[in-house]
Amino acid sequence: MAERAYFDITASDVRKIMVAVPNFSGDGQGPTVAQLLTKGFALHGFISVIDSSRYGGGKDGDWKSLGADYVVMGQVGADPAGIVIEGQILDVASNKLLAGRRYKGAAAQLEDMTLRLCDALIEDFTGEMGVARTRMAFVSDATGRKEVYITDILGRHPRQVTSHRALCVSPRFTPDGNFLAYSTYHRGNQDLYITDLRQNASTNALSRRKGLNLAPAFSPDGRSMVLTLSKGGNPDLYSMDRQGESLQQLTSGAGINVSPSFSPDGQSIAFVSDRSGKPNVYVMSAAGGQAKRLTFKNSENSEPAWSPKGDEIAFTGLQGGAYQLFIMDRNGGNPRQLSAGGGNYESPTWSPDGRLIAVTRKSGSHSEICVVSKNGKDVRTLFTLKGNQSYPQWSGRLP
């Protein structure tokens, strides 16, 4: 494979890469594959896909005059196992074919193979695997009640996870993506439940202690979690095992302590406390102990979300009467605003590659899930689904 000069797509002044995705040749599935690949590319935010109607969808366009930097040349074919899909990147400037990727599988796996190809080609562009094969959990009122759903990251195949007919909030994936925890009020108290996403029949109680049982942050190894309980009167952070036992109290009575988020190495927890009078973001050891305040701008700061690389923390801050999306270094330095006006931004959650942040955007009674690139450009609506969506939670990459 030729030496690649990877794009630094986190720079704020970088222009989008212009890519053409003509129909794949082969067994009649070519246009479907190209359309799904186009959606996957667009998700990542740094690629602008040239409308195929400008060149008829074929592989023989005048790419230079169309302004294409790269063209994805691909084919779908038969294989003893079922189907094979191949894709290569044509560098228009040099007229050379770069990396090639090939996937084989059953015909029913064509969608998944297309998204695998998408993520691999994103890696060819940037040096890091893409995130088209991920999922999003969220809360929707599509049924008239706020229930928990999951969907693939492109908004296809949405699935209702809960049927409590009562308010559900704050879904949280386990690190392996197989389980989803959430809080619900269906028994009158805010209780914590967990469901195995590999089945669709039952969900289990994790904590039904009196008072608040707020959605947890799972440790990176998936063995334990940190959550807010108010069983002692004050909302404090506790560590708990996956069975809902082995409680260890991490904060003690210093105001309200909520919204924990683990650092990727599992050593630290960012959380929100109003011990200084107003809600602010703090950090402490995962074992508890002394907490250090990180936020000092804005009248309120909340909902910290640690980046997958561990170097930054996203959070929301109250500014000018509305919550906006911010990002700061892990020590609290260099805070910068990513969103601009246009409603309240809540519940930030990172993509596994750390390039994108999904967030709830609320305007009046309408709420939707948007995605914003880490450099603050390009706030986009992620899904066009029935009802209002909130509380996004991005999964890790699928195996």
Side-chain angles (χ1 to χ4, degrees), residues 7 28 32 72 112 114 125 136 154 158 223 246 253 260 265 281 290 341 351-352 384:
F7 293 92
T32 306
V72 176
D112 188 60
T114 302
F125 283 126
M136 187 75 77
L154 303 179
R223 290 181 190 161
S246 303
D265 64 6
V281 178
Q290 192 68 34
S351 61
T384 50

Side-chain angles (χ1 to χ4, degrees), residues 7-341:
F7 293 92
D8 177 13
I9 57 167
T10 55
S12 58
D13 56 352
V14 71
R15 76 166 177 87
K16 290 197 176 191
I17 305 169
M18 302 297 290
V19 177
V21 186
N23 294 334
F24 279 38
S25 54
D27 70 349
Q29 302 267 28
T32 306
V33 169
Q35 286 165 12
L36 185 53
L37 200 55
T38 294
K39 282 186 176 175
F41 279 161
L43 164 73
H44 292 81
F46 68 93
I47 290 176
S48 184
V49 179
I50 296 166
D51 192 327
S52 61
S53 66
R54 291 179 55 197
Y55 56 89
K59 290 185 174 182
D60 51 0
D62 185 349
W63 306 123
K64 280 188 175 161
S65 70
L66 285 163
D69 300 307
Y70 300 94
V71 184
V72 176
M73 297 291 189
Q75 56 264 352
V76 184
D79 180 83
I83 206 162
V84 62
I85 178 173
E86 293 183 77
Q88 279 183 285
I89 298 171
L90 172 70
D91 182 340
V92 174
S94 68
N95 199 33
K96 284 184 180 163
L97 280 168
L98 303 175
R101 303 282 185 149
R102 191 166 190 262
Y103 298 92
K104 290 195 290 190
Q109 295 174 291
L110 181 63
E111 242 183 41
D112 188 60
M113 288 190 288
T114 302
L115 296 179
R116 283 182 191 274
L117 176 63
C118 176
D119 285 347
L121 294 175
I122 292 290
E123 184 179 27
D124 290 336
F125 283 126
T126 67
E128 180 154 7
M129 186 75 73
V131 294
R133 291 182 69 257
T134 58
R135 297 189 287 182
M136 187 75 77
F138 58 95
V139 171
S140 169
D141 63 2
T143 65
R145 302 291 186 110
K146 291 191 174 179
E147 303 277 8
V148 174
Y149 291 72
I150 56 171
T151 177
D152 85 340
I153 200 62
L154 303 179
R156 304 162 325 124
H157 317 305
R159 168 184 157 195
Q160 185 176 335
V161 175
T162 64
S163 298
H164 290 305
R165 297 186 181 87
L167 176 61
C168 297
V169 295
S170 305
R172 297 282 186 270
F173 284 105
T174 53
D176 63 11
N178 287 332
F179 293 82
L180 194 70
Y182 58 92
S183 293
T184 176
Y185 291 83
H186 80 282
R187 294 170 81 250
N189 192 53
Q190 187 177 18
D191 295 332
L192 181 64
Y193 284 76
I194 191 164
T195 189
D196 185 340
L197 295 172
R198 295 166 296 185
Q199 53 92 55
N200 221 356
S202 64
T203 185
N204 298 311
L206 259 183
S207 179
R208 296 200 293 219
R209 294 167 174 91
K210 187 181 176 190
L212 299 175
N213 297 269
L214 295 187
F218 287 98
S219 61
D221 65 11
R223 290 181 190 161
S224 64
M225 63 195 90
V226 171
L227 76 164
T228 297
L229 301 174
S230 62
K231 66 184 187 68
N234 192 70
D236 275 307
L237 295 179
Y238 291 78
S239 176
M240 190 168 80
D241 66 22
R242 283 282 291 272
Q243 286 67 51
E245 304 300 335
S246 303
L247 279 189
Q248 179 193 350
Q249 188 168 346
L250 303 181
T251 63
S252 183
I256 293 169
N257 301 280
V258 294
S259 303
S261 175
F262 268 96
S263 60
D265 64 6
Q267 298 298 303
S268 304
I269 299 168
F271 66 101
V272 173
S273 177
D274 65 355
R275 60 187 64 184
S276 64
K278 288 280 179 75
N280 274 292
V281 178
Y282 290 76
V283 68
M284 69 176 176
S285 162
Q290 192 68 34
K292 176 192 171 193
R293 182 173 164 181
L294 297 183
T295 53
F296 294 90
K297 291 185 170 183
N298 307 319
S299 54
E300 292 182 9
N301 296 285
S302 58
E303 302 182 305
W306 220 299
S307 72
K309 293 183 172 60
D311 55 342
E312 292 168 316
I313 297 171
F315 63 100
T316 55
L318 188 59
Q319 192 173 84
Y323 280 94
Q324 299 292 339
L325 176 63
F326 291 83
I327 191 174
M328 62 181 166
D329 297 344
R330 63 173 292 152
N331 62 3
N334 191 26
R336 51 228 185 260
Q337 185 173 334
L338 299 188
S339 61

